Amino acid sequence: MLSKGAFSPPDWAKHLNPAPSSIYSLAQLPSPIHRWDLPNLPADTQVWIKRDDLTGMQLSGNKVRKLEFLLAEAKLQGADCVVTIGGIQSNHCRATAVAARYLDLDCYLILRTSKVLVNEDPGLVGNLLVERLVGARVELVSKEEYTKHGSEALGDMLVEKLRAQGRKPYLIPVGGSNSLGTWGYISAAQEIEQQIEAGTCPRFDEIVMACGSGGTTAGLALGNHLSMIKAKVHGYTVCDSPDYFYDYIQGLLDGLHAQVDSRDIVRLVDAKGLGYALSSTGELELVKEISEATGVILDPVYSGKALHGMVKDMVCDAKYWTGKKVLFIHTGGLLGMFDKLQQIQPLTGNWRRMQIM
C-alpha cells in the first residue's frame, strides 16, 4: 500500500504504446467477484458482481485504479499539486483529493454547480465532506461557464494561475479518463482473467458497466478484447450519448495505438434517463429494491443507472439474456447517495416508535 513500483503490462497488451513505466499501489486489489442473486432474471441467467466499490481509499471505487497510474506520472514529473475537474458530487474529484493527500500532494478541484449556487459555500454533503476534510481547495464554476469554456480550458486556466504562484501542478482530466488512465482498467481485465483462471468465478458471456467519462469502459473493453475473457461488453452511458462515447473511446484507443474500432469492442446504450446525476423515481426504487433484496447498495449516478438499463434490456429482449453468465462491474460512488436523501426518504418508511411495556 502506497508503494511505488515498476509496471509491466500483460503479455497481450505489450504492443500498446505508450505504456506506463511505474504505478503507485493505492487500491486494495484484487476486488472480489461473487454471485449476485437479483430478482426476476430471465431463465437460467446468472449475474455476478465485481466489487470495485471495495477498492478502498475512502470508497474511491473505480477511480483509484486510474489514479494509480496518473499520480505515479505526477510524482515522476515532480508535481507538488494536482488539478482536476468534475460535477459538484464528482466521485473522481473526491478520490483524487484523497489519493493526492496520501501522496503528499495538494489538490485543487474545479467543481461544476448551478448558477444559483456558484457564489455560495457548497456545503458538506456527500463527496464534498471528504474533499474538504482532506484539505482540497474547491473552485466553483457554473454549468454555463463549464459549457462555454469546456473542462480542458478551465483546467488550463487554473494550472497557469498556480504556475504563476510558483507551484508545479499536474492536470488530471475529467474522470481521469485519458490514455494513461485507461491502463487502470486494462489491468482490471487482467485481474478478471486471473480470477477466472483461478476458478473463483465462471467464464462470462456478458460484462455490464456504467459509462460516465469513458476511461473505465475503454480500458475494460480493450482488455476484454485482447485477453482470454472475450465477453460482450455493454456500457450504459449516464451522461452524453452513445455516439459521443464511441468517438471519445476511439480517441483513447488511438492514443494507445490499439488499432481497434470502439464499435467492435463495446455496445453502448443510452441510460442517462433524466440527465447526468438526475434520478427518476423508477431508478431509485430499483436501487432500494436491490439493496433490500441483496444487501448491495448501488450509487444513483453510475451503477444504479447501469443496472436500470440492464434490467430494461432483459425485459425487452429476455431471449438474448436467457442462460447467460453476466458480470456486473460495481464502480462505487456510495457517497453520492447522500445527495438524494429527499428523493429516497419516501421510499424507506420502515420505522416506528418502539412500544415499551
Side-chain angles (χ1 to χ4, degrees):
M1 184 72 174
L2 303 182
S3 61
K4 181 182 178 182
F7 175 72
S8 178
D11 288 341
W12 42 258
K14 287 189 182 298
H15 66 289
L16 300 178
N17 181 51
S21 60
S22 59
I23 181 173
Y24 261 101
S25 176
L26 300 175
Q28 297 183 34
L29 302 174
S31 64
I33 295 175
H34 63 78
R35 183 79 176 265
W36 196 24
D37 292 322
L38 298 178
N40 304 316
L41 292 174
D44 300 319
T45 300
Q46 293 182 16
V47 177
W48 296 64
I49 184 169
K50 183 159 179 64
R51 302 297 300 275
D52 269 16
D53 57 319
L54 303 179
T55 55
M57 197 64 65
Q58 274 70 47
L59 304 176
S60 290
N62 65 318
K63 313 302 182 184
V64 69
R65 289 188 187 266
K66 305 175 192 180
L67 290 168
E68 289 191 322
F69 294 100
L70 293 165
L71 293 183
E73 182 176 77
K75 296 290 280 188
L76 190 65
Q77 293 182 4
D80 62 8
C81 60
V82 296
V83 174
T84 196
I85 187 166
I88 193 69
Q89 283 295 331
S90 167
N91 297 315
H92 160 70
C93 287
R94 182 251 304 152
T96 302
V98 173
R101 180 52 59 217
Y102 272 41
L103 299 182
D104 199 27
L105 295 167
D106 290 335
C107 183
Y108 293 82
L109 304 177
I110 303 171
L111 299 182
R112 181 183 66 248
T113 188
S114 72
K115 62 182 179 181
V116 177
L117 300 175
V118 73
N119 294 309
E120 299 180 10
D121 188 311
L124 297 172
V125 172
N127 288 309
L128 283 161
L129 173 61
V130 176
E131 290 161 358
R132 299 180 79 176
L133 280 174
V134 299
R137 280 75 161 175
V138 174
E139 304 262 345
L140 297 179
V141 297
S142 69
K143 294 177 181 177
E144 290 77 12
E145 290 167 333
Y146 185 92
T147 300
K148 178 181 178 181
H149 297 285
S151 62
E152 290 185 18
L154 289 169
D156 289 340
M157 287 179 200
L158 184 51
V159 163
E160 289 306 312
K161 289 179 183 178
L162 291 169
R163 284 176 178 159
Q165 297 169 13
R167 304 301 302 270
K168 297 177 181 177
Y170 178 86
L171 180 60
I172 298 174
V174 172
S177 292
N178 58 13
S179 293
L180 178 59
T182 300
W183 280 97
Y185 270 82
I186 296 173
S187 297
Q190 181 186 31
E191 183 177 297
I192 295 169
E193 181 181 54
Q194 291 168 345
Q195 288 171 304
I196 293 171
E197 290 173 342
T200 58
C201 59
R203 188 160 186 168
F204 298 105
D205 304 300
E206 319 288 327
I207 296 176
V208 170
M209 62 195 308
C211 179
S213 60
T216 296
T217 303
L220 190 56
L222 180 58
N224 169 78
H225 173 73
L226 296 175
S227 71
M228 57 72 73
I229 304 172
K230 299 293 190 291
K232 184 174 180 64
V233 178
H234 307 261
Y236 290 86
T237 64
V238 302
C239 44
D240 294 291
S241 69
D243 283 340
Y244 167 84
F245 277 113
Y246 278 125
D247 291 341
Y248 189 84
I249 289 170
Q250 190 64 54
L252 298 180
L253 299 174
D254 291 345
L256 293 171
H257 300 92
Q259 297 184 322
V260 64
D261 191 315
S262 62
R263 294 175 185 269
D264 292 337
I265 63 172
V266 62
R267 168 184 177 252
L268 296 176
V269 182
D270 190 337
K272 65 178 176 291
L274 297 176
Y276 177 69
L278 301 176
S279 299
S280 69
T281 300
E283 289 168 357
L284 293 178
E285 285 176 342
L286 179 62
V287 168
K288 172 65 169 62
E289 177 189 354
I290 299 306
S291 300
E292 192 167 342
T294 72
V296 176
I297 302 175
L298 302 174
D299 81 290
V301 179
Y302 297 99
S303 293
K305 284 182 180 283
L307 182 68
H308 191 262
M310 184 186 80
V311 168
K312 285 176 63 178
D313 261 1
M314 288 181 171
V315 170
C316 293
D317 193 2
K319 183 178 179 181
Y320 175 85
W321 295 90
T322 295
K324 296 293 183 65
K325 292 182 174 64
V326 182
L327 178 63
F328 185 93
I329 311 295
H330 190 335
T331 54
L334 177 63
L335 290 173
M337 187 68 76
F338 290 90
D339 195 43
K340 305 293 181 183
L341 293 182
Q342 288 186 332
Q343 284 183 270
I344 294 170
Q345 189 167 3
L347 308 178
T348 57
N350 49 344
W351 75 277
R352 67 178 183 177
R353 171 73 160 88
M354 180 177 175
Q355 300 299 311
I356 302 174
M357 304 301 292

